[in-house]
Each structure stands twice: as C-alpha cells, then as structure tokens.
Amino acid sequence: MTTPPPIAQIPDPPVPETPCKVALVQINNSFSGQNYLPYACGLMEGYTRKFSGRPDRYEFLPPIYKRMRVEAAVDHLIGADIVGFSCYVWNEKLSLAVARRLKERKPSVMIVFGGPQVPDRTEPFLRANPFIDVAVNGEGEAAFTRLLDRFPSRDWTGIANLSYLKDGAFVVHPKGPRIRDLADLPSPYLDGTFDRLMALYPQENWIVLWETNRGCPFQCTFCDWGSATQAKVYQFDLDRAFKEIDWFASKRIEFIFCCDANFGILARDIQIVEALAKSKAERGYPKAVSVQNTKNATERAYLTQKILSDAGMNKGVTLSMQSLDPGTLKAIKRQNIALGTYEELQRRFTRDRVETYSDLILGLPGETYDSWVEGIAKLMETGQHNRIQFNNLSILPNAEMGDPEYQKKFGMETVVTRIVNIHGALEVDPDGIYETQDLVVATAAMPRADWRRARAFAWMAALVHYNKLLQIPILIAHAQCGVPFRKLLEAFFEADPARYPVFGSIRAFFDDYALRIQNGEVEYVYSQEWLGIHWPADEFVFIDLVVRGKMDAFYAEAERLILDALGATRGLLPEDRIADAFKLNRAMVKGPGALGDIEVALGADIYPYYRALLEGRDEALLVEPVTYRIERSKEAWPDFDDWCREVVWYGNKKGAYLYGSKAMARHLAGHF
C-alpha cells in the first residue's frame, strides 16, 4: 500500500480547457410509482458549478435516478467522460454491473464510486472491481469537484478521501475535514438543478430526500452514520430550509424523507416542523414527512412529532430502542441513550393518541433469547401496544460492526440474502441482478436454534398483540390478574400442538420460515395470490387464517390458552369477563366482506377499560351489562384484495386493525 504525504495546501494545477461531459448515477427504488429526486447527484453538480475553477467546461448529462436495464443505462452514459456512482446497499449490484459494462464499451471513461456502500477498507473492493478508477470515502462533493478539475490527468495528488490502484499498488489518501459551513453546499432544490431534471421527465411523480443538518453524536456500532460524520452536527441555514419547504409546496411534493440522523436535536427543529405544518395547511403540500427522532432530547422529540401528527404529516412516530438488554446496549455503544426518554415519550404519545412504533433489532451482539423476549415484554409494560417493528440485523460495511474482528469477537454468523422490501412486489430483473445483504442469523449469545426461536417468538407477538387479534383479552388478563406479558405471549407460542392445532400449525410455520431465512431465503413471505407482494410472516398468517376459515377455531383455542395461563390467579377474573373480552375483540377485528354495523351485548363495559389500559390511565372496569355498536359501515371491504391492501398492509405502522365502537346502552339501576 502506498500512502501519499499528508495533505497540506497543495494547489490544483490550472483547469484544462478541454470540455468534459459528466454523468452521475444514484439509483433509488421506486415506491408506488414515485421516484426520489437524486439528491446526492444534485449536490455534486451544484458544488462543481460553484467551486470548480472552470465550471463552464462541464456538461452534466441527465442523471440516472431509478433502476433500469444495464444496456439502457450504459447507452445513457456512453457519451460521458467521467461517471460518478453514488453507491448504497439498495443499488450496489446494479451500479457495479452498469460500471463494468460501461468500461467494457468505453475503456477511456473515468469511473468514480462514492457513497455509504464504498467500504473504508477499500482495497479488496477495488481489486474485486478493477473497472473502478477511483473510490471516494466520506463526503464527496469537494473530492469529486477536484477530480473533475484534474481531468483528463490521473494525477490526484493532494485530493483527500481517495483510494485507487496505481500500477498494481493500492493508494489511499488521508481523510479530509468535513464541510463545516454547509452554506458551501448549493441546494439542488433552489439552484435550478432539479428544475431542469423535472422538466426533462414531466411524467414522474417525485418525492424528496432532505437534509437540515449533518452529523450524529452517537456511535452505534450497527450504523455507519455516526462513524461517517465523526460526531459533530453542522446545520444548514434555517432560511434555506424555509425556502426549500416553499419549493416543495410549489412543486406539489407529497412525501419528504428527512435524512437528519437526529431530528429534534436542535431547538430550531421546532420552527422547521411548524413551517412544514403551515405549508400543508395553507398550500396542501408537502403531505407527509418521515424523520428519525433524536435520542435523548425528550421534550423536542415530543414537540416535533406532535406538531407533525396534529398536521397529519406522519404515519407513526418511531421510538427506536434496538434492544433493552444492558449488555447488548454496551456492546453496540448505545448505553449513553437513556431508556427513560423512550418510556416518557411513549406515555405522552399514547396519552395524546399519537401512534408510535418501536424498533427492535434481532441478532445484536450479547442479546440472548431470554433477553430478547424480556425486551418485548418490557416494551409492552411501558405502554407500547401499537407496534414493535422487529428488524433483522444486517451488516453495513462502514459501521464498526462491519469490521471482521468485531464480528469474530461476538461470534456473529451471517448469510447473504436477497433484499426485498416489506410489502414489495416480486421483481424479476431481466438482467438477473438483485441486491443482497449480509444478514446476521446467529451470534455467540444467540446460537442458530435460539435465533430461529427468537424470530418465531417475535412473529407470534406481532400476530396476537400488535395485529390486535387478541390484544383486548391480553391487556385485561394482565391488568386484572397481574399475569406477566411474557407468560401470556408464551402461552400462545408454546401451545401444545396436539391440544391446540391452530396455534401449533402457526408455530410450525414460523419455525420453518425462520430456518428458511437462515438458509438464505428472503425475509418476507411472498404470495402471488395475495396482491403478489412480500408479507411479514405474521401478516401472512393473519390472511391465511381468514382465507382458510380458521378464525373461529383460532379464538376458541386462544380463550382456552389464556384461561390456562391465568393459573392461580384465575379466580381474580371470572370466565365471563374473559369471554366478554374475546367476544368484543373478535367483533372489532376488521375483516373482508363485513357489511353493516353489528351489536355486541356484554356483561361488562370492556371498551373504555381497554382504552384506559392503552393510555396508561387508572380506571376501574365497570361490571354492568352493555351493548356496543361496532361501526363496520364506516369502513367496509367487500373486495378481498382491498382488505389485504388497506387493512393488513396499510394498517401496519398505525396498528389500525380494529373497528371503532361505541356503547349503545348500559344497564344501570335495573334499567336501560
């Protein structure tokens, strides 16, 4: 390996007069006919136009921003002298295939790779892909502009963040300083870059990636955000953010994905969400915003999300726990993130009826089967009854976890699996190019059998509690009898298949699919019949129970299992109260083909008590006869596909699986 001398004030040579055609590639996935504007490409082009010694010598070709055939992409790029690829986990294989074929057809083209998927341990990557001329590690705007200004020279002396092969030797340049004054980065939304692109493709329905700051003060080992940005958070100008919001509204942009690592970490973030909410109220756009919450700033995290929720701009607030095990949190360097923050936010959002969902990651170092199950139960104890999103751990190359020594230390086993999107269609690539990930399927603390068991347990918890199929009786049994949530969930998970054949078959399916993932199959269950998409295993089972007419048997077995789980506390909750809870829950589950309201007569006022439990309020269960009207006429899905889509799929993050209900009459003092 050759290491150049430290980078000092090395002036660039004069910029050549030669005209230069530049092409940029940032391939993103399409979502429901929508495509992201290629934000990284826009930044590169804008920075070059602003800081190049001769910006007029560059002709930027229209960027490639979505997946396409390799030959079509190469045809688009063939006229370029320099092509820069922004490489991510969702586009790596296609980007490499396009670059390889482009080099075959035009050996003189200079190919530059940057982005999060370019590993900091770059030498093996470059030797495996010799068609790449130079790789950029870290922020790329300044490095790419200096590369352009040197072209056609291959003398890259003094340019920070570069790695390349020269005469067979690996050369790596030291990392340069980050861009501290983010005003140096022209906004592609405001400088005309994306106006030109949108004019070229008027048929597209665009969505956007947006930064209001850069940096992350945390160092989670599974994430490359903190390590890539070296902790310090720098801010884009607030006036710029306001002008970009105005641009989004003027272009009728519906959805924004905010790329900030910790939105709400800055006091001014309140002003930003207020501007977003005002824009939607006054102009109708943008319609929805997704942000990643800051970790420890409880009040601002609450306020920013509450403002977005009140404006109808989010689909659920993410409370990213990842793990609740102290040893695991230390191993992944999240021990400085206060769990009390999440508990307080959960209580406040639940009180305000703002939907939240929590993230847990399966396969983290130090996590055992026991700590995993305890973590799920703990989240339920602290009030998370809307949704836990159970993610399988995958390895990012520039995260600390991407270091082979780190993986060896914790006994991490991985398998290469194809990446598919949750609820994504089965895509057959005509070139046979599919993106993959390194999925963790076992650790020293969680051997392969325990990983399968933990994965299956998470699916069972999602099915019975978070898909709301049994949530009402689970909460009532817990509150009235003090039965731990773990024991209640284990009653379903460990049901004897001889006595409980429906639950036995569900457990067998979950066990089998967990094994299939370990053997390299995709994370989600594909169904051609049910919308032709990939379903989480718990949702697949929900649909299957409905299709096979097994819901009545499912509820009959579940009621017996709950009664068994009560054990010595069974006398604290009369069987008819449990029966009432099951009767109401069964009636409230949104099902296909249900037309017209129905009435449900119970011996106790279950629903307000259930709502009080969800919201953490201390309220007694009123034991008086009551009749409820289940308001099914407001939402009906006579078409099965519509039910699959609008209830099971769209209800996922909001947990919107139950009909509304209201008490029609109560038996008080012997009279209705």
Side-chain angles (χ1 to χ4, degrees), residues 537-553:
D538 56 287
E539 294 179 6
F540 182 91
V541 167
F542 180 13
I543 298 170
D544 184 64
L545 289 169
V546 171
V547 169
R548 293 192 298 124
K550 294 289 186 179
M551 290 295 280
D552 288 339

Side-chain angles (χ1 to χ4, degrees), residues 322-388:
Q322 318 309 4
S323 174
L324 279 77
D325 177 62
T328 300
L329 294 172
K330 182 177 181 180
I332 63 174
K333 296 184 179 178
R334 281 179 72 95
Q335 72 270 29
N336 62 333
I337 298 174
L339 295 181
T341 294
Y342 293 98
E343 294 179 18
E344 174 62 17
L345 285 171
Q346 180 64 60
R347 283 190 290 268
R348 295 177 73 174
F349 284 128
T350 302
R351 178 198 66 198
D352 295 338
R353 297 202 176 189
V354 175
E355 294 92 352
T356 69
Y357 63 98
S358 299
D359 283 347
L360 291 179
I361 300 178
L362 177 61
L364 290 172
E367 190 87 72
T368 65
Y369 173 80
D370 188 67
S371 69
W372 172 256
V373 173
E374 281 297 316
I376 295 170
K378 175 65 174 175
L379 282 179
M380 295 171 68
E381 292 281 357
T382 57
Q384 181 51 277
H385 301 300
N386 185 64
R387 170 67 59 186
I388 297 178

Side-chain angles (χ1 to χ4, degrees), residues 447-457 510-511 514-515 518:
R448 293 177 72 92
D450 283 0
W451 186 95
R452 293 194 299 272
R453 192 176 174 213
R455 180 63 271 185
F457 185 91
F510 288 158
D511 287 343
L515 177 61
Q518 284 186 323

